[in-house]
Structure formats: C-alpha cells, structure tokens
Amino acid sequence: MSDFKLLSRRKFLTKAGSALIATSIASLATTAKTSSQESQQLGVKEWCMVIDLRRCIGCQACFAACKSENGVPLGIEYTWVETHEKGKYPNIKLLFLPRLCNHCDKPPCVQVCPVKATWKREDGVVMQDINKCIGCRYCMAACPYGVRSFTWEEPSGAWFEPWMEKATAKHGFVVKCHGCYHRVEKGLKPACVEACVGGARIFGDFKDPNSEVRKLIDSLSTTRLKAYLGTEPMVFYIGLDEKVAELGRKAPGAIIVHEEEEEEEE
Amino acid sequence: MFFSQCFIIPDLGRPDRILNLILSPNPSSMFIADFIVLTSYFIFTIIFGWLTMKEKVGMRGTLALSAIGLPLAISIHSVTAWIFGLIKARPMWHTALLAPIFLSSAIVSAIGLLIFTTILTTKFTNIKIPSNVVSDLGRILSITIPIDIFLLFCEILTTSYAAEPRHIEPLSWILLGPYAPAFWTEVTLGIIAFLLMVNPRVRSSTIALTISSIFVMVGIWLKRFLILIPGLSLSPIGEIGVYVPTWIEWSIIVGLYAFGALLYTLSTQLLPLKVEEKNI
C-alpha cells in the first residue's frame, strides 16, 4: 500500500518539476516566437491549441482568467476544467479535461446560423457577432462540444469589455469563446494560456511547421474531441482518456465518477 | 398557418432582430429554408382560400391548385424535420427517418385537429358539414396511425440493435427512464385511436370520433415533446439538464393557443365558409 503512495508521490514530484521546467521553456520559446511573428505578420495564420493533459493539475486558473479577462457573466463559462475520477483505490486516478471552443475547421454552428452571426475568421477563430445574433440558439443545439451559452439576464458588472462599446443589447443573444482575439491581435497569448500554471495549454500557429504546437502535434500522439463527427477541431489533447473524452459535466470543480469502470474492476 | 408561425417569435432571444433573416440570410441554415417554405405556403393558402371561397375556380381548378399545395405542405414538414435531423451533434435527432416520421405525425395530428374542429363547428355554429366527411377523415386516421407507429418502431429497432452508447442513452430514457410514462401514453393513445377508427361502424359515431381525435392530438403532442426535450436535455458533453417552464413561459403558451382559437372562431364567422358546401 505504502509503495503505491510513494510511487505516486515520486511521480507527482517528477511531474511537477518537469512541468515547472517545461513552463519556463515554453514561455521563453513563446516570447522568442512572438518577436519572429511580428516580422511575418502578412502571412495568414491558423491558430490552434495543444492541451497537454500530463501537465494539467485541474486548478481552474484558466477558467478564472477567462472569466475575468472577458467579463463572462455568471452561470456562463467559455472554458472550464472537468475533474474525472477513474478506478478504485488503490488503483485510482484523477483525470482533468479542460474544455473550450474547439474553433473547428468545419464548424457546425457556422453552418446552421440563420443570420450569419457566427463565422470563421481567416486565422481560424470562430467568431460570434452579438449585435447580429437573433438568439434562436440553433448553434447551441448544433455544437457537439456544448461551449456556446445564451445570456438570459442583463449583466450587472463590467463585462465584454472589448465588445460592449459597440453592443446594441446586453442580453438575449449567444456568447462563446472568441479565442481572445483582442489579445492575440496585439501579439499576446489568450488569457487561459497565459494563466495556465502547468503550461498545459500551448497556443500557436498550425501553419508554421516550426511552431511549438506543430512540433508537439507532429511528434506526439494527439487526440481531438469527437473527431469522428468530421468537425476538424483545432484543439489537440495529449494523453486524453477515452472515457473522459466522451462524457463530462459542465460544472467546474464537480468530480465525475466513472462507476461502470469501478464495477468492471471488482 | 399564421398562428403556427407566431410560436417562433417568443422563442427568439432578440425578436427585435428578426429582420436579419431577410437582411443577412445564411443559405446553409435550415432555418432559412424553413422561413422560405413557410412563407410560400402561407401565401399559397391565402391565395387558395381566396380563390375557392370567392368561387373563382371550379372543381378542376381546386384540384390543380392542390397539386401545388401538396408538395409545399410536404416540404414544410420535411424542412421542419431537417432542422433537427441534420444536427449531428444530437445523436437522437440525427436520423434520415425524421422527415418521414414528421410527415406521418403531421398528417395524423392534422386529421385529428380537423375532426375535432369540424365536430365543434357543426355543433356550435350554423355551418353544416356532412357527417360522412368526418368519418372519411377517420378512415384516413386508421391508415396513417399504423404508418406512424411503424416508422417509430423502425427507428427504435435500428437504434437498439446497433446499441451505440451515444444513441442508446437518450433512447433508454424514453423507453424505460424518466420519459417512459410519456412515451407509453403516446403509444397507448395511438393504438386506442386506431382501434376506434378501424371499424367502420364505430367510426361513424361522433363520440368515437371525438375521443380518437383528442387521443391522436395528445399523442402526437407527446411525440413532439419526446423528440425535442430528451434530445436537448442530454447535452453533447454528457451534462443532464432538467427543463421546467416558468410561469412566463406557461402564460406565453396559453396566450398563443388562445390567440389561435380566437383566429379560428373569427374565421368561421367572418369568412364565407358556407360556400364550400356547394363545392362538395
């Protein structure tokens, strides 16, 4: 029994250490990349994200950073981390799954929107025009990832700061992750990427063969959520568990126990 | 027609922006296709009603117009089914059978409504409609109800035989889970309505017709409920939602039905409907 504990603690320490080193390297690499990107601003990029689940500790920092960066109203999340419990003691593991808009290459939401309020930018970001949206919520039904939300009530605080100046209404439309395009356009990383303590979220240009994301995608085995639907999601996961990929729960912090798995092991 | 389109507007988050449907339509959206077919059908019914009531066209003209109206009627129900059936994110809806199911259900419930309103109209107004018309409608029910149940059976058999987890989960809710009472009520009502309509002698009685028409209307309403609510309450990421309408939503629903009933009542009084008898 104690062997298991020791092993897991040692594993944890090794992981934490490597994560720390990886983060610093990643941040260094990204700073270097940003300066090189400025010189080649003309070429159209295709933004994508790699989420290295081996580095994710489920701290919800990305969720909090996103909420404060974009002033996301109460009850709505653009990104969140699911906690899954798998197995039975002593063979047990907590698995984390950060979710966000997958900025699909073939987005079903864009296909179904009746008024062209949602569209795909050239750089790959799936955008939402809150001034055009009629609030029919068809895109929410069509999204296989459940990342679109409807604003029911008028928000009380300052929110949507990049949008609000031009907004003609404050509720009654659909909102979603816009890939922090207001930051990316200034050469910054999205808020969730910036806040990730383990460096699990890596953001970059899919078209650039030398970008960190492409190096990871090309050299490691990656999984995309519900790739069988042909939506071509642009968020790549490293070390994704099959069970976790299909089922989750939106409430941040809630632990999802996979009971069937427990029964099998008994 | 007008009444049914009124239902869509309170469902929008921003009804004030509804003109965006015309200003910036997205042709790949089924909502736009639905908007086009519903509007054309609406215009068609006005023209059709005006021509037949004013006796501008004879029997042959009416038949010729029906040749335009029938494909239009099929298209509105098919496009409405495709709004759901083309959504791959919702496994429960994503079936090619949805359009035929919508069509057969629409015929069943429309005939039910027609029987019910015809009986009420003959009872409470001086518009007289021959009773054999009503029992003929009942005969159509005895054919269309089995077709509707057969299509439903095909869908359930295909899903349960393949037993793909993401398909079987919403289905098991309907057959055995929290939605089972609604489902089995729907099937029972359909079978009783069919048994009442299949015998020509029973079919001619007004009581049997009334019971059967109410049963199919309730049954098809439940069927629609079972397509919409379980399809939406299991989110694509495994989240389970529970939907209970608020008092505002209930009052909107009641208000809309009352408005529809008012429209029908006014039309029986104001439109020259008695002319139809001569045509028949």
Side-chain angles (χ1 to χ4, degrees):
Chain A
M1 214 66 90
S2 54
D3 279 348
F4 274 112
K5 268 188 183 170
L6 197 67
L7 189 71
S8 59
R9 190 174 297 151
R10 191 183 294 159
K11 256 189 183 170
F12 171 73
L13 285 172
T14 343
K15 266 192 187 171
S18 60
L20 208 70
I21 296 162
T23 322
S24 42
I25 292 171
S27 57
L28 270 175
T30 328
T31 353
K33 207 176 63 174
T34 320
S35 50
S36 73
Q37 270 168 7
E38 274 160 9
S39 55
Q40 38 166 281
Q41 202 71 44
L42 285 169
V44 181
K45 295 180 177 62
E46 190 172 13
W47 298 117
C48 81
M49 192 183 281
V50 173
I51 301 182
D52 192 343
L53 296 173
R54 300 169 302 178
R55 295 176 181 176
C56 178
I57 57 164
C59 66
Q60 307 281 358
C62 47
F63 161 72
C66 173
K67 288 277 269 191
S68 63
E69 172 71 30
N70 297 305
V72 184
L74 274 179
I76 293 175
E77 299 100 29
Y78 291 174
T79 184
W80 66 95
V81 184
E82 284 165 12
T83 310
H84 297 254
E85 193 181 286
K86 191 188 160 190
K88 212 172 167 69
Y89 180 81
N91 299 319
I92 191 162
K93 189 158 171 62
L94 272 187
L95 298 164
F96 304 109
L97 178 63
R99 283 187 190 266
L100 73 158
C101 172
N102 284 265
H103 295 282
C104 305
D105 212 20
K106 289 173 184 152
C109 53
V110 171
Q111 194 181 17
V112 303
C113 176
V115 296
K116 291 182 185 165
T118 184
W119 75 98
K120 196 167 169 67
R121 270 161 59 118
E122 271 197 0
D123 62 1
V125 179
V126 176
M127 289 288 280
Q128 175 78 13
D129 188 342
I130 58 167
N131 287 333
K132 216 171 189 184
C133 177
I134 57 168
C136 70
R137 283 160 278 174
Y138 198 15
C139 55
M140 286 167 68
C143 174
Y145 306 103
V147 293
R148 288 174 159 269
S149 314
F150 185 74
T151 51
W152 280 106
E153 282 159 25
E154 197 161 318
S156 49
W159 69 301
F160 272 132
E161 275 161 29
W163 299 66
M164 219 47 220
E165 293 158 21
K166 286 173 275 173
T168 55
K170 287 183 176 178
H171 65 117
F173 43 78
V174 170
V175 290
K176 70 178 282 293
C177 159
H178 43 71
C180 275
Y181 82 103
H182 60 288
R183 289 173 59 91
V184 174
E185 275 177 352
K186 288 175 189 156
L188 296 163
K189 287 183 279 181
C192 58
V193 178
E194 192 83 57
C196 183
V197 290
R201 290 189 185 225
I202 303 127
F203 182 77
D205 183 10
F206 185 76
K207 280 186 180 163
D208 177 9
N210 296 316
S211 67
E212 199 193 348
V213 280
R214 265 303 287 278
K215 279 178 189 163
L216 286 168
I217 293 164
D218 291 348
S219 61
L220 287 167
S221 156
T222 55
T223 316
R224 292 179 296 170
L225 294 176
K226 295 188 183 179
Y228 55 81
L229 287 176
T231 51
E232 301 290 335
M234 291 307 282
V235 175
F236 298 77
Y237 292 86
I238 297 170
L240 181 67
D241 191 85
E242 189 193 358
K243 192 136 207 169
V244 171
E246 200 57 38
L247 287 176
R249 202 143 307 178
K250 210 175 172 182
I255 294 181
I256 302 133
V257 182
H258 292 285
E259 283 171 14
E260 284 169 9
E261 204 120 356
E262 284 179 26
E263 282 163 13
E264 276 164 25
E265 278 174 28
E266 271 173 7
Chain B
M1 269 306 292
F2 178 72
F3 164 56
S4 68
Q5 292 194 44
C6 289
F7 265 87
I8 301 166
I9 300 185
D11 290 338
L12 296 178
R14 295 227 67 87
D16 51 324
R17 293 178 184 167
I18 196 161
L19 281 180
N20 280 2
L21 286 173
I22 299 159
L23 298 174
S24 79
N26 176 16
S28 74
S29 174
M30 273 298 132
F31 272 7
I32 294 300
D34 211 29
F35 178 70
I36 292 167
V37 289
L38 280 172
T39 314
S40 357
Y41 194 66
F42 181 53
I43 294 165
F44 171 80
T45 44
I46 289 173
I47 297 169
F48 184 78
W50 183 75
L51 286 176
T52 47
M53 280 174 207
K54 294 268 176 188
E55 292 187 274
K56 301 268 180 197
V57 285
M59 200 60 196
R60 190 173 282 184
T62 315
L63 276 176
L65 278 173
S66 306
I68 307 166
L70 196 63
L72 263 177
I74 292 173
S75 75
I76 62 164
H77 292 293
S78 306
V79 174
T80 310
W82 291 332
I83 285 179
F84 303 98
L86 299 183
I87 299 301
K88 59 187 172 188
R90 308 275 170 177
M92 208 196 117
W93 293 346
H94 195 223
T95 162
L97 253 190
L98 209 63
I101 286 180
F102 262 56
L103 264 175
S104 65
S105 300
I107 296 168
V108 170
S109 63
I111 303 276
L113 184 66
L114 213 53
I115 294 175
F116 190 66
T117 46
T118 313
I119 291 170
L120 283 186
T121 314
T122 30
K123 195 151 192 222
F124 293 110
T125 67
N126 50 8
I127 302 168
K128 290 288 167 256
I129 296 157
S131 62
N132 67 313
V133 173
V134 190
S135 63
D136 275 353
L137 288 173
R139 202 168 73 190
I140 303 174
L141 266 192
S142 71
I143 304 158
T144 48
I145 293 173
I147 293 174
D148 202 31
I149 292 176
F150 172 69
L151 289 175
L152 190 65
F153 176 74
C154 289
E155 175 59 30
I156 291 170
L157 181 69
T158 313
T159 311
S160 25
Y161 198 89
E164 287 178 74
R166 64 197 192 98
H167 286 269
I168 206 87
E169 194 172 356
L171 185 69
S172 63
W173 282 13
I174 292 169
L175 295 183
L176 310 158
Y179 295 102
F183 176 78
W184 295 109
T185 313
E186 168 207 326
V187 175
T188 318
L189 290 178
I191 290 170
I192 295 172
F194 165 69
L195 291 176
L196 284 176
M197 287 299 104
V198 80
N199 187 332
R201 226 176 283 163
V202 184
R203 201 194 292 148
S204 54
S205 93
T206 314
I207 299 162
L209 280 164
T210 317
I211 292 171
S212 156
S213 68
I214 292 171
F215 276 17
V216 294
M217 283 192 292
V218 175
I220 298 298
W221 190 89
L222 284 173
K223 198 176 174 188
R224 297 282 199 250
F225 172 85
L226 287 172
I227 289 170
L228 213 79
I229 305 300
L232 280 173
S233 60
L234 179 69
S235 92
I237 55 166
E239 189 186 10
I240 297 159
V242 181
Y243 170 67
V244 180
T246 61
W247 70 268
I248 300 172
E249 286 165 327
W250 279 119
S251 37
I252 289 172
I253 295 166
V254 173
L256 278 167
Y257 274 107
F259 179 60
L262 177 71
L263 275 183
Y264 180 76
T265 317
L266 284 177
S267 67
T268 55
Q269 298 305 312
L270 300 176
L271 295 175
L273 282 175
K274 274 164 250 177
V275 185
E276 270 185 8
E277 278 177 70
K278 290 176 197 165
N279 282 344
I280 297 160

